[in-house]
Amino acid sequence: MISGFEAIYGGLPEAQASAPGCVNLLGEHTDYNDGYVLPIAIPQQTIVAVRCSGAPQFSLYAAELRQSVQFTFEAPPQAHFASYVFGCLALLRKRGVRVPPLDMFVSSGVPIGVELSSSAALEVATLRCLRQLLNLPLDDVQIAQFAQRAEIDYAGVHCGIMDQMASSLADTDRALLLDTRTLARRFVNLPPGSAVLVLDSGIARSLAASGYNTRRAECEQAAQLLGVASLRDIDRVNQLASLPESLHRRARHVVTENARVLEAVNCTEASAFGELMNASHASLRDDYEVSTPGLDALVALLQAQDGVFGARLTGAGFGGACVALCESGAMQTVARAVLAAYQKAGGAGRQLVPSDLN
Ligand code: GLA
C-alpha cells in the first residue's frame, strides 16, 4: 500500500486507514424502516492513504481501476468511485472542517457492486484517514453517520445506515445486532460450528437503484396509511390488515424480517438460524419482490446442499451476492459443488467469502 502511494506520488503518506466490507446475515430492507439488522464484517478491506498536497487541487488515485482524478470543491470529480470520497471531503468542509488539498490513494479489496458494502468501506476508510490526518474529534458512530450522509447527499443513493455502521463497527468473528432507530447494538456469536459463505451470483444489479427507491417509497406510504412513524412501530402482521394488497405484502416482509432478526440472535442451534435465513429469502422473493430467478436458483442450490444450514440473497437484491450459513468444516465442499451446479444451470458465480478457498 505504502509502496503504491510512493510509486504514484513520490513520497510517503501522512495518514493511512482501512475499513472492511460487510455482509448482512438477516434484516434486509429493514434499516430504512427503523428496524433491526444483523451484518458481519468480511475480511476484505479498503485502504486509503493521504498526504497534504502542495498543489491547489485534490488528486485521487484508485489502484484497482488504475485511474487518477483531479478535483476541487468547486469542480467535483465526474468519476463515480470518486463521488464517495468527494462526498466525505465536502461534508466535512460543510461542517466547518478546514480540509486542505490532498494527494489520496485508494486500494479496494472489497468486491465492488455485489452488495458487500464496498462504498461504505470506501467512505469509512476515507473518514478514518481524515480523522487521523486532521485530528478530528469523531467517534466510530459519527464516522458511520457522516459516511451515510455523504452517500445520500453526494453519491445520490438514499441508503439506510446499516452498511456504514457495519463497516465502522462490525468485526469478522461476531455479527453486529443493530437497532437502526436508536443505534443500540451488541455483538452476537454465530451458532457453534457454523461459518459464513458468500457467493456472487454474477447477476448485475441493473434494477437495483430504481427498485430500491420504489420499495422505500412503498414502505413510507404503508407507514403513513397505518398512522405510524415507520414500519418498525408495527410488531404483528394482523395490524397490517387495512393495507392494499401489494403494500400489505411489502409491510409484511418488514414486520416478519424484524421478528426473524430478534429470533435469530437467540438461536443456539445453527439449523434454527438457517431456517430463519431461508424464510427471509422466501419473504424477499414473494412479499418484497426483490429477488430474480438467477438468485432464487443459486439460493435453492445452496439450501439443498449438505452442510448448509440456510441461505438467502443479501443486500438490496435484484442481483449481487447470496449468503449461506454453513458447517465450518464443509465450506470448501459446499462452495465447489454449488458453483459447479450453478454453472451447469447456465450461471456464472464465484466465491467471495472466505476469499482464500478457491
Ligand atoms: C442496500 C442499502 C442498505 C440496506 C440494504 C437492504 O445495501 O445500502 O442500507 O437498505 O440495501 O437491506
Side-chain angles (χ1 to χ4, degrees):
M1 174 67 195
I2 288 188
S3 60
F5 186 98
E6 261 193 293
I8 297 298
Y9 295 114
L12 293 175
E14 292 166 46
Q16 178 173 323
S18 61
C22 305
V23 61
N24 191 21
L25 301 180
L26 265 180
E28 218 63 87
H29 291 279
T30 49
D31 64 349
Y32 53 83
N33 289 299
D34 282 349
Y36 300 98
V37 293
L38 193 63
I40 188 166
I42 61 171
Q44 292 98 322
Q45 306 241 348
T46 290
I47 307 172
V48 175
V50 302
R51 73 169 181 200
C52 294
S53 124
Q57 78 278 8
F58 289 81
S59 290
L60 171 61
Y61 182 80
E64 283 69 30
L65 302 173
R66 294 182 186 195
Q67 202 181 332
S68 180
V69 293
Q70 270 71 45
F71 59 89
T72 62
F73 285 119
E74 291 68 39
Q78 299 300 312
H80 185 64
F81 80 91
S83 61
Y84 300 105
V85 174
F86 178 79
C88 295
L89 298 165
L91 189 67
L92 287 178
R93 183 176 186 241
K94 203 166 146 192
R95 303 283 168 95
V97 177
R98 210 192 71 76
V99 186
L102 301 168
D103 290 333
M104 311 183 77
F105 184 97
V106 172
S107 171
S108 176
V110 182
I112 293 169
V114 289
E115 289 294 318
L116 294 184
S117 308
S118 58
S119 55
L122 177 54
E123 292 148 4
V124 170
T126 299
L127 288 165
R128 282 180 173 168
C129 201
L130 294 168
R131 172 171 68 184
Q132 202 185 317
L133 181 79
L134 305 172
N135 277 321
L136 303 177
L138 292 175
D139 64 25
D140 291 341
V141 171
Q142 288 169 313
I143 292 257
Q145 289 168 323
F146 269 68
Q148 182 203 17
R149 198 72 254 157
E151 181 144 349
I152 295 173
D153 290 353
Y154 296 92
V157 183
H158 202 189
C159 60
I161 200 162
M162 169 172 69
D163 300 359
Q164 290 78 10
M165 280 294 281
S167 183
S168 187
L169 290 140
D171 75 29
T172 50
D173 298 329
R174 296 166 302 164
L176 181 75
L177 169 64
L178 173 69
D179 178 340
T180 62
R181 171 172 274 174
T182 63
L183 300 188
R185 60 206 175 270
R186 70 179 166 90
F187 285 107
V188 178
N189 288 326
L190 293 178
S194 68
V196 174
L197 175 73
V198 182
L199 301 181
D200 178 16
S201 67
I203 300 166
R205 295 159 52 246
S206 46
L207 289 172
S210 61
Y212 189 85
N213 291 338
T214 313
R215 293 299 177 279
R216 201 176 165 134
E218 287 170 329
C219 288
E220 279 160 17
Q221 201 190 340
Q224 203 182 5
L225 288 173
L226 293 165
V228 291
S230 77
L231 290 178
R232 155 67 180 276
D233 297 310
I234 307 286
D235 40 35
R236 287 190 318 278
V237 284
N238 62 11
Q239 293 171 268
L240 305 173
S242 60
L243 290 176
E245 205 270 333
S246 91
L247 288 186
H248 183 268
R249 282 189 294 120
R250 304 293 188 249
R252 183 167 61 190
H253 165 73
V254 175
V255 173
T256 58
E257 186 77 352
N258 277 326
R260 281 186 284 273
V261 174
L262 296 179
E263 200 180 329
V265 297
N266 292 316
C267 282
T268 47
E269 296 290 324
S271 53
F273 193 113
E275 284 304 320
L276 292 166
M277 293 174 79
N278 294 345
S280 169
H281 185 78
S283 178
L284 288 161
R285 180 191 61 210
D286 302 335
D287 276 354
Y288 219 63
E289 295 181 285
V290 291
S291 191
T292 68
L295 285 172
D296 292 342
L298 183 55
V299 166
L301 288 168
L302 281 162
Q303 290 173 347
Q305 187 68 34
D306 279 348
V308 174
F309 298 114
R312 55 186 286 277
L313 70 81
T314 188
F318 304 100
C322 297
V323 61
L325 193 71
C326 294
E327 270 173 35
S328 6
M331 306 268 271
Q332 196 152 2
T333 325
V334 167
R336 287 216 178 108
V338 168
L339 287 174
Y342 186 59
Q343 192 177 8
K344 223 170 160 187
R350 65 187 165 130
Q351 183 177 322
L352 299 173
V353 177
S355 54
D356 54 358
L357 275 186
N358 295 302

mmCIF file with all atom_site columns, all heavy atoms in Angstrom, residues 24 27-32 115 151 157 159-164 212 315-316, ligand 1:
data_model
loop_
_atom_site.group_PDB
_atom_site.id
_atom_site.type_symbol
_atom_site.label_atom_id
_atom_site.label_alt_id
_atom_site.label_comp_id
_atom_site.label_asym_id
_atom_site.label_entity_id
_atom_site.label_seq_id
_atom_site.pdbx_PDB_ins_code
_atom_site.Cartn_x
_atom_site.Cartn_y
_atom_site.Cartn_z
_atom_site.occupancy
_atom_site.B_iso_or_equiv
_atom_site.pdbx_formal_charge
_atom_site.auth_seq_id
_atom_site.auth_comp_id
_atom_site.auth_asym_id
_atom_site.auth_atom_id
_atom_site.pdbx_PDB_model_num
ATOM   1   N N   . ASN A 1 24  ? -24.695 -8.846  5.118  1.00 0.00 ? 24  ASN A N   1
ATOM   2   C CA  . ASN A 1 24  ? -25.811 -8.863  6.056  1.00 0.00 ? 24  ASN A CA  1
ATOM   3   C C   . ASN A 1 24  ? -26.372 -10.280 6.175  1.00 0.00 ? 24  ASN A C   1
ATOM   4   O O   . ASN A 1 24  ? -26.726 -10.907 5.178  1.00 0.00 ? 24  ASN A O   1
ATOM   5   C CB  . ASN A 1 24  ? -26.901 -7.898  5.572  1.00 0.00 ? 24  ASN A CB  1
ATOM   6   C CG  . ASN A 1 24  ? -27.951 -7.673  6.647  1.00 0.00 ? 24  ASN A CG  1
ATOM   7   O OD1 . ASN A 1 24  ? -27.690 -7.894  7.827  1.00 0.00 ? 24  ASN A OD1 1
ATOM   8   N ND2 . ASN A 1 24  ? -29.133 -7.219  6.241  1.00 0.00 ? 24  ASN A ND2 1
ATOM   9   N N   . GLY A 1 27  ? -32.146 -9.344  8.237  1.00 0.00 ? 27  GLY A N   1
ATOM   10  C CA  . GLY A 1 27  ? -32.615 -7.979  8.459  1.00 0.00 ? 27  GLY A CA  1
ATOM   11  C C   . GLY A 1 27  ? -32.416 -7.176  7.184  1.00 0.00 ? 27  GLY A C   1
ATOM   12  O O   . GLY A 1 27  ? -31.652 -6.223  7.144  1.00 0.00 ? 27  GLY A O   1
ATOM   13  N N   . GLU A 1 28  ? -33.141 -7.600  6.119  1.00 0.00 ? 28  GLU A N   1
ATOM   14  C CA  . GLU A 1 28  ? -32.958 -6.949  4.816  1.00 0.00 ? 28  GLU A CA  1
ATOM   15  C C   . GLU A 1 28  ? -34.114 -5.998  4.550  1.00 0.00 ? 28  GLU A C   1
ATOM   16  O O   . GLU A 1 28  ? -35.274 -6.351  4.783  1.00 0.00 ? 28  GLU A O   1
ATOM   17  C CB  . GLU A 1 28  ? -32.888 -8.035  3.735  1.00 0.00 ? 28  GLU A CB  1
ATOM   18  C CG  . GLU A 1 28  ? -31.894 -7.736  2.660  1.00 0.00 ? 28  GLU A CG  1
ATOM   19  C CD  . GLU A 1 28  ? -30.461 -7.662  3.170  1.00 0.00 ? 28  GLU A CD  1
ATOM   20  O OE1 . GLU A 1 28  ? -29.802 -8.710  3.242  1.00 0.00 ? 28  GLU A OE1 1
ATOM   21  O OE2 . GLU A 1 28  ? -29.995 -6.536  3.471  1.00 0.00 ? 28  GLU A OE2 1
ATOM   22  N N   . HIS A 1 29  ? -33.770 -4.814  4.074  1.00 0.00 ? 29  HIS A N   1
ATOM   23  C CA  . HIS A 1 29  ? -34.740 -3.752  3.809  1.00 0.00 ? 29  HIS A CA  1
ATOM   24  C C   . HIS A 1 29  ? -35.473 -3.349  5.096  1.00 0.00 ? 29  HIS A C   1
ATOM   25  O O   . HIS A 1 29  ? -36.631 -2.952  5.058  1.00 0.00 ? 29  HIS A O   1
ATOM   26  C CB  . HIS A 1 29  ? -35.729 -4.160  2.699  1.00 0.00 ? 29  HIS A CB  1
ATOM   27  C CG  . HIS A 1 29  ? -35.069 -4.237  1.356  1.00 0.00 ? 29  HIS A CG  1
ATOM   28  N ND1 . HIS A 1 29  ? -34.824 -3.127  0.583  1.00 0.00 ? 29  HIS A ND1 1
ATOM   29  C CD2 . HIS A 1 29  ? -34.551 -5.284  0.671  1.00 0.00 ? 29  HIS A CD2 1
ATOM   30  C CE1 . HIS A 1 29  ? -34.203 -3.497  -0.541 1.00 0.00 ? 29  HIS A CE1 1
ATOM   31  N NE2 . HIS A 1 29  ? -34.015 -4.806  -0.497 1.00 0.00 ? 29  HIS A NE2 1
ATOM   32  N N   . THR A 1 30  ? -34.787 -3.494  6.184  1.00 0.00 ? 30  THR A N   1
ATOM   33  C CA  . THR A 1 30  ? -35.360 -3.043  7.458  1.00 0.00 ? 30  THR A CA  1
ATOM   34  C C   . THR A 1 30  ? -34.708 -1.750  7.938  1.00 0.00 ? 30  THR A C   1
ATOM   35  O O   . THR A 1 30  ? -35.302 -1.029  8.732  1.00 0.00 ? 30  THR A O   1
ATOM   36  C CB  . THR A 1 30  ? -35.167 -4.122  8.549  1.00 0.00 ? 30  THR A CB  1
ATOM   37  O OG1 . THR A 1 30  ? -33.802 -4.532  8.533  1.00 0.00 ? 30  THR A OG1 1
ATOM   38  C CG2 . THR A 1 30  ? -36.063 -5.326  8.324  1.00 0.00 ? 30  THR A CG2 1
ATOM   39  N N   . ASP A 1 31  ? -33.490 -1.439  7.455  1.00 0.00 ? 31  ASP A N   1
ATOM   40  C CA  . ASP A 1 31  ? -32.780 -0.289  8.065  1.00 0.00 ? 31  ASP A CA  1
ATOM   41  C C   . ASP A 1 31  ? -33.464 1.047   7.781  1.00 0.00 ? 31  ASP A C   1
ATOM   42  O O   . ASP A 1 31  ? -33.503 1.913   8.643  1.00 0.00 ? 31  ASP A O   1
ATOM   43  C CB  . ASP A 1 31  ? -31.277 -0.271  7.725  1.00 0.00 ? 31  ASP A CB  1
ATOM   44  C CG  . ASP A 1 31  ? -30.939 -0.079  6.261  1.00 0.00 ? 31  ASP A CG  1
ATOM   45  O OD1 . ASP A 1 31  ? -31.854 -0.151  5.409  1.00 0.00 ? 31  ASP A OD1 1
ATOM   46  O OD2 . ASP A 1 31  ? -29.750 0.162   5.967  1.00 0.00 ? 31  ASP A OD2 1
ATOM   47  N N   . TYR A 1 32  ? -34.046 1.189   6.572  1.00 0.00 ? 32  TYR A N   1
ATOM   48  C CA  . TYR A 1 32  ? -34.734 2.458   6.304  1.00 0.00 ? 32  TYR A CA  1
ATOM   49  C C   . TYR A 1 32  ? -36.167 2.440   6.853  1.00 0.00 ? 32  TYR A C   1
ATOM   50  O O   . TYR A 1 32  ? -36.930 3.375   6.640  1.00 0.00 ? 32  TYR A O   1
ATOM   51  C CB  . TYR A 1 32  ? -34.695 2.812   4.810  1.00 0.00 ? 32  TYR A CB  1
ATOM   52  C CG  . TYR A 1 32  ? -35.182 1.731   3.884  1.00 0.00 ? 32  TYR A CG  1
ATOM   53  C CD1 . TYR A 1 32  ? -36.540 1.568   3.628  1.00 0.00 ? 32  TYR A CD1 1
ATOM   54  C CD2 . TYR A 1 32  ? -34.288 0.874   3.264  1.00 0.00 ? 32  TYR A CD2 1
ATOM   55  C CE1 . TYR A 1 32  ? -36.986 0.577   2.776  1.00 0.00 ? 32  TYR A CE1 1
ATOM   56  C CE2 . TYR A 1 32  ? -34.721 -0.124  2.404  1.00 0.00 ? 32  TYR A CE2 1
ATOM   57  C CZ  . TYR A 1 32  ? -36.070 -0.261  2.163  1.00 0.00 ? 32  TYR A CZ  1
ATOM   58  O OH  . TYR A 1 32  ? -36.520 -1.247  1.326  1.00 0.00 ? 32  TYR A OH  1
ATOM   59  N N   . GLU A 1 115 ? -23.132 -5.957  -3.321 1.00 0.00 ? 115 GLU A N   1
ATOM   60  C CA  . GLU A 1 115 ? -23.814 -5.831  -2.023 1.00 0.00 ? 115 GLU A CA  1
ATOM   61  C C   . GLU A 1 115 ? -22.946 -6.263  -0.844 1.00 0.00 ? 115 GLU A C   1
ATOM   62  O O   . GLU A 1 115 ? -23.446 -6.852  0.117  1.00 0.00 ? 115 GLU A O   1
ATOM   63  C CB  . GLU A 1 115 ? -25.146 -6.592  -2.031 1.00 0.00 ? 115 GLU A CB  1
ATOM   64  C CG  . GLU A 1 115 ? -26.199 -5.924  -2.904 1.00 0.00 ? 115 GLU A CG  1
ATOM   65  C CD  . GLU A 1 115 ? -26.643 -4.565  -2.374 1.00 0.00 ? 115 GLU A CD  1
ATOM   66  O OE1 . GLU A 1 115 ? -26.839 -4.425  -1.160 1.00 0.00 ? 115 GLU A OE1 1
ATOM   67  O OE2 . GLU A 1 115 ? -26.768 -3.631  -3.195 1.00 0.00 ? 115 GLU A OE2 1
ATOM   68  N N   . GLU A 1 151 ? -22.995 9.604   1.343  1.00 0.00 ? 151 GLU A N   1
ATOM   69  C CA  . GLU A 1 151 ? -23.541 8.771   0.255  1.00 0.00 ? 151 GLU A CA  1
ATOM   70  C C   . GLU A 1 151 ? -24.879 9.320   -0.239 1.00 0.00 ? 151 GLU A C   1
ATOM   71  O O   . GLU A 1 151 ? -25.139 9.362   -1.438 1.00 0.00 ? 151 GLU A O   1
ATOM   72  C CB  . GLU A 1 151 ? -23.680 7.315   0.745  1.00 0.00 ? 151 GLU A CB  1
ATOM   73  C CG  . GLU A 1 151 ? -24.211 6.413   -0.338 1.00 0.00 ? 151 GLU A CG  1
ATOM   74  C CD  . GLU A 1 151 ? -23.623 5.010   -0.320 1.00 0.00 ? 151 GLU A CD  1
ATOM   75  O OE1 . GLU A 1 151 ? -22.643 4.752   0.385  1.00 0.00 ? 151 GLU A OE1 1
ATOM   76  O OE2 . GLU A 1 151 ? -24.169 4.174   -1.045 1.00 0.00 ? 151 GLU A OE2 1
ATOM   77  N N   . VAL A 1 157 ? -27.425 8.129   -3.416 1.00 0.00 ? 157 VAL A N   1
ATOM   78  C CA  . VAL A 1 157 ? -28.067 6.861   -3.047 1.00 0.00 ? 157 VAL A CA  1
ATOM   79  C C   . VAL A 1 157 ? -28.770 7.064   -1.707 1.00 0.00 ? 157 VAL A C   1
ATOM   80  O O   . VAL A 1 157 ? -28.125 7.366   -0.703 1.00 0.00 ? 157 VAL A O   1
ATOM   81  C CB  . VAL A 1 157 ? -27.026 5.725   -2.904 1.00 0.00 ? 157 VAL A CB  1
ATOM   82  C CG1 . VAL A 1 157 ? -27.714 4.409   -2.584 1.00 0.00 ? 157 VAL A CG1 1
ATOM   83  C CG2 . VAL A 1 157 ? -26.195 5.611   -4.164 1.00 0.00 ? 157 VAL A CG2 1
ATOM   84  N N   . CYS A 1 159 ? -29.661 5.566   0.896  1.00 0.00 ? 159 CYS A N   1
ATOM   85  C CA  . CYS A 1 159 ? -29.491 4.302   1.636  1.00 0.00 ? 159 CYS A CA  1
ATOM   86  C C   . CYS A 1 159 ? -29.839 4.458   3.114  1.00 0.00 ? 159 CYS A C   1
ATOM   87  O O   . CYS A 1 159 ? -29.939 5.571   3.634  1.00 0.00 ? 159 CYS A O   1
ATOM   88  C CB  . CYS A 1 159 ? -28.041 3.841   1.511  1.00 0.00 ? 159 CYS A CB  1
ATOM   89  S SG  . CYS A 1 159 ? -26.860 5.021   2.166  1.00 0.00 ? 159 CYS A SG  1
ATOM   90  N N   . GLY A 1 160 ? -30.008 3.320   3.792  1.00 0.00 ? 160 GLY A N   1
ATOM   91  C CA  . GLY A 1 160 ? -30.138 3.323   5.245  1.00 0.00 ? 160 GLY A CA  1
ATOM   92  C C   . GLY A 1 160 ? -28.751 3.392   5.869  1.00 0.00 ? 160 GLY A C   1
ATOM   93  O O   . GLY A 1 160 ? -27.757 3.601   5.162  1.00 0.00 ? 160 GLY A O   1
ATOM   94  N N   . ILE A 1 161 ? -28.671 3.143   7.199  1.00 0.00 ? 161 ILE A N   1
ATOM   95  C CA  . ILE A 1 161 ? -27.373 3.317   7.862  1.00 0.00 ? 161 ILE A CA  1
ATOM   96  C C   . ILE A 1 161 ? -26.651 1.993   8.117  1.00 0.00 ? 161 ILE A C   1
ATOM   97  O O   . ILE A 1 161 ? -25.542 1.968   8.654  1.00 0.00 ? 161 ILE A O   1
ATOM   98  C CB  . ILE A 1 161 ? -27.529 4.114   9.180  1.00 0.00 ? 161 ILE A CB  1
ATOM   99  C CG1 . ILE A 1 161 ? -26.156 4.701   9.576  1.00 0.00 ? 161 ILE A CG1 1
ATOM   100 C CG2 . ILE A 1 161 ? -28.121 3.241   10.296 1.00 0.00 ? 161 ILE A CG2 1
ATOM   101 C CD1 . ILE A 1 161 ? -26.206 5.809   10.558 1.00 0.00 ? 161 ILE A CD1 1
ATOM   102 N N   . MET A 1 162 ? -27.263 0.871   7.694  1.00 0.00 ? 162 MET A N   1
ATOM   103 C CA  . MET A 1 162 ? -26.660 -0.429  8.017  1.00 0.00 ? 162 MET A CA  1
ATOM   104 C C   . MET A 1 162 ? -25.221 -0.562  7.530  1.00 0.00 ? 162 MET A C   1
ATOM   105 O O   . MET A 1 162 ? -24.329 -0.916  8.313  1.00 0.00 ? 162 MET A O   1
ATOM   106 C CB  . MET A 1 162 ? -27.484 -1.560  7.397  1.00 0.00 ? 162 MET A CB  1
ATOM   107 C CG  . MET A 1 162 ? -26.762 -2.899  7.482  1.00 0.00 ? 162 MET A CG  1
ATOM   108 S SD  . MET A 1 162 ? -27.769 -4.268  6.977  1.00 0.00 ? 162 MET A SD  1
ATOM   109 C CE  . MET A 1 162 ? -27.948 -4.006  5.232  1.00 0.00 ? 162 MET A CE  1
ATOM   110 N N   . ASP A 1 163 ? -24.973 -0.318  6.246  1.00 0.00 ? 163 ASP A N   1
ATOM   111 C CA  . ASP A 1 163 ? -23.652 -0.606  5.675  1.00 0.00 ? 163 ASP A CA  1
ATOM   112 C C   . ASP A 1 163 ? -22.566 0.201   6.373  1.00 0.00 ? 163 ASP A C   1
ATOM   113 O O   . ASP A 1 163 ? -21.487 -0.308  6.679  1.00 0.00 ? 163 ASP A O   1
ATOM   114 C CB  . ASP A 1 163 ? -23.610 -0.267  4.180  1.00 0.00 ? 163 ASP A CB  1
ATOM   115 C CG  . ASP A 1 163 ? -24.622 -1.062  3.378  1.00 0.00 ? 163 ASP A CG  1
ATOM   116 O OD1 . ASP A 1 163 ? -25.343 -1.880  3.967  1.00 0.00 ? 163 ASP A OD1 1
ATOM   117 O OD2 . ASP A 1 163 ? -24.693 -0.847  2.158  1.00 0.00 ? 163 ASP A OD2 1
ATOM   118 N N   . GLN A 1 164 ? -22.847 1.467   6.619  1.00 0.00 ? 164 GLN A N   1
ATOM   119 C CA  . GLN A 1 164 ? -21.828 2.337   7.215  1.00 0.00 ? 164 GLN A CA  1
ATOM   120 C C   . GLN A 1 164 ? -21.588 1.983   8.683  1.00 0.00 ? 164 GLN A C   1
ATOM   121 O O   . GLN A 1 164 ? -20.442 1.985   9.139  1.00 0.00 ? 164 GLN A O   1
ATOM   122 C CB  . GLN A 1 164 ? -22.253 3.811   7.078  1.00 0.00 ? 164 GLN A CB  1
ATOM   123 C CG  . GLN A 1 164 ? -22.214 4.335   5.641  1.00 0.00 ? 164 GLN A CG  1
ATOM   124 C CD  . GLN A 1 164 ? -23.399 3.911   4.793  1.00 0.00 ? 164 GLN A CD  1
ATOM   125 O OE1 . GLN A 1 164 ? -24.388 3.362   5.299  1.00 0.00 ? 164 GLN A OE1 1
ATOM   126 N NE2 . GLN A 1 164 ? -23.334 4.160   3.495  1.00 0.00 ? 164 GLN A NE2 1
ATOM   127 N N   . TYR A 1 212 ? -34.978 -0.154  -5.401 1.00 0.00 ? 212 TYR A N   1
ATOM   128 C CA  . TYR A 1 212 ? -34.738 0.231   -4.007 1.00 0.00 ? 212 TYR A CA  1
ATOM   129 C C   . TYR A 1 212 ? -35.582 1.461   -3.646 1.00 0.00 ? 212 TYR A C   1
ATOM   130 O O   . TYR A 1 212 ? -36.269 1.484   -2.620 1.00 0.00 ? 212 TYR A O   1
ATOM   131 C CB  . TYR A 1 212 ? -33.245 0.537   -3.831 1.00 0.00 ? 212 TYR A CB  1
ATOM   132 C CG  . TYR A 1 212 ? -32.799 0.751   -2.409 1.00 0.00 ? 212 TYR A CG  1
ATOM   133 C CD1 . TYR A 1 212 ? -32.461 -0.325  -1.593 1.00 0.00 ? 212 TYR A CD1 1
ATOM   134 C CD2 . TYR A 1 212 ? -32.696 2.030   -1.867 1.00 0.00 ? 212 TYR A CD2 1
ATOM   135 C CE1 . TYR A 1 212 ? -32.034 -0.137  -0.289 1.00 0.00 ? 212 TYR A CE1 1
ATOM   136 C CE2 . TYR A 1 212 ? -32.274 2.228   -0.563 1.00 0.00 ? 212 TYR A CE2 1
ATOM   137 C CZ  . TYR A 1 212 ? -31.940 1.141   0.218  1.00 0.00 ? 212 TYR A CZ  1
ATOM   138 O OH  . TYR A 1 212 ? -31.525 1.337   1.514  1.00 0.00 ? 212 TYR A OH  1
ATOM   139 N N   . GLY A 1 315 ? -28.303 -8.089  0.898  1.00 0.00 ? 315 GLY A N   1
ATOM   140 C CA  . GLY A 1 315 ? -28.280 -6.722  0.377  1.00 0.00 ? 315 GLY A CA  1
ATOM   141 C C   . GLY A 1 315 ? -29.599 -6.363  -0.275 1.00 0.00 ? 315 GLY A C   1
ATOM   142 O O   . GLY A 1 315 ? -30.632 -6.983  -0.009 1.00 0.00 ? 315 GLY A O   1
ATOM   143 N N   . ALA A 1 316 ? -29.546 -5.392  -1.167 1.00 0.00 ? 316 ALA A N   1
ATOM   144 C CA  . ALA A 1 316 ? -30.775 -4.833  -1.731 1.00 0.00 ? 316 ALA A CA  1
ATOM   145 C C   . ALA A 1 316 ? -31.520 -5.814  -2.636 1.00 0.00 ? 316 ALA A C   1
ATOM   146 O O   . ALA A 1 316 ? -32.728 -5.710  -2.816 1.00 0.00 ? 316 ALA A O   1
ATOM   147 C CB  . ALA A 1 316 ? -30.444 -3.561  -2.495 1.00 0.00 ? 316 ALA A CB  1
HETATM 148 C C1  . GLA B 2 .   ? -28.610 -1.569  0.463  1.00 0.00 ? 1   GLA B C1  1
HETATM 149 C C2  . GLA B 2 .   ? -28.515 -0.349  1.370  1.00 0.00 ? 1   GLA B C2  1
HETATM 150 C C3  . GLA B 2 .   ? -28.692 -0.730  2.836  1.00 0.00 ? 1   GLA B C3  1
HETATM 151 C C4  . GLA B 2 .   ? -29.914 -1.615  3.055  1.00 0.00 ? 1   GLA B C4  1
HETATM 152 C C5  . GLA B 2 .   ? -29.906 -2.781  2.070  1.00 0.00 ? 1   GLA B C5  1
HETATM 153 C C6  . GLA B 2 .   ? -31.155 -3.626  2.140  1.00 0.00 ? 1   GLA B C6  1
HETATM 154 O O1  . GLA B 2 .   ? -27.490 -2.386  0.615  1.00 0.00 ? 1   GLA B O1  1
HETATM 155 O O2  . GLA B 2 .   ? -27.267 0.297   1.196  1.00 0.00 ? 1   GLA B O2  1
HETATM 156 O O3  . GLA B 2 .   ? -28.772 0.454   3.621  1.00 0.00 ? 1   GLA B O3  1
HETATM 157 O O4  . GLA B 2 .   ? -31.091 -0.872  2.933  1.00 0.00 ? 1   GLA B O4  1
HETATM 158 O O5  . GLA B 2 .   ? -29.769 -2.323  0.726  1.00 0.00 ? 1   GLA B O5  1
HETATM 159 O O6  . GLA B 2 .   ? -31.264 -4.238  3.385  1.00 0.00 ? 1   GLA B O6  1
#
